[in-house]
Amino acid sequence: MGILSNIFHKIFPSSHPAAQAGGQAAPAGGQQPAQQPAQQPAQQPAQQPAQQPQAAPAAAPMQQVDVEAILNGMQQQAGQQLNWRTSIVDLMKLLGLDSSLQARKELAAELHYTGDTNDSASMNIWLHKQVMNKLAENGGKVPADLKD
């Protein structure tokens, strides 16, 4: 599996759809059809069943994972100061993943980076934002200042 899926496996619990699908867009697509049939029957009856669809979306946030809390907890146990909030290198180190330039270039290719991979500073900033965006897209609760 790819580096992004390894990141997902380190952050999301094994029962979470993002961890099971390896961080691909499939889990979000898989959840949407499950929600649509629940909404369609609820829309046919009057107002009373309209309260039931509100309960179904409430169940979806329960699957949301507080990425910041998980990473802060890992940071406390790390034994070294790692700035995961701004550094892709430190984020990868915190997760116990290879943070070498080669690994980051592989992650950049996986995420379709179109910039110059020899400009590691620009690539690293882009990678960090993209990883945070992907975590959020797949059920992670990520602080707004860490996303695009």
Side-chain angles (χ1 to χ4, degrees):
M1 294 216 171
I3 296 172
L4 184 62
S5 68
N6 289 339
I7 291 170
F8 279 35
H9 281 92
K10 298 284 186 171
I11 295 174
F12 292 113
S14 60
S15 61
H16 193 278
Q20 293 173 350
Q24 298 172 0
Q31 289 175 353
Q32 288 172 356
Q35 291 174 354
Q36 288 173 354
Q39 291 173 354
Q40 289 172 354
Q43 290 173 354
Q44 292 171 356
Q47 294 175 350
Q48 290 177 349
Q51 293 173 354
Q52 291 174 353
Q54 290 172 358
M62 283 196 272
Q63 288 186 348
Q64 193 174 37
V65 173
D66 190 342
V67 172
E68 182 177 31
I70 289 171
L71 294 175
N72 282 339
M74 294 173 105
Q75 173 65 48
Q76 290 175 350
Q77 298 174 356
Q80 60 178 323
Q81 193 62 20
L82 297 169
N83 188 2
W84 67 265
R85 295 180 70 84
T86 59
S87 169
I88 189 68
V89 173
D90 284 1
L91 175 63
M92 292 172 82
K93 283 182 181 179
L94 183 63
L95 296 173
L97 300 173
D98 179 8
S99 63
S100 69
L101 179 58
Q102 183 58 39
R104 287 178 278 129
K105 285 183 177 184
E106 289 175 28
L107 179 59
E110 189 177 332
L111 294 172
H112 309 292
Y113 182 62
T114 58
D116 181 6
T117 57
N118 292 317
D119 180 1
S120 63
S122 295
M123 180 181 71
N124 288 347
I125 292 166
W126 184 88
L127 282 173
H128 190 274
K129 291 283 187 190
Q130 291 304 307
V131 167
M132 291 298 147
N133 289 340
K134 293 292 183 186
L135 288 167
E137 289 170 11
N138 285 278
K141 179 183 170 193
V142 177
D145 64 322
L146 300 182
K147 301 181 287 183
D148 278 336

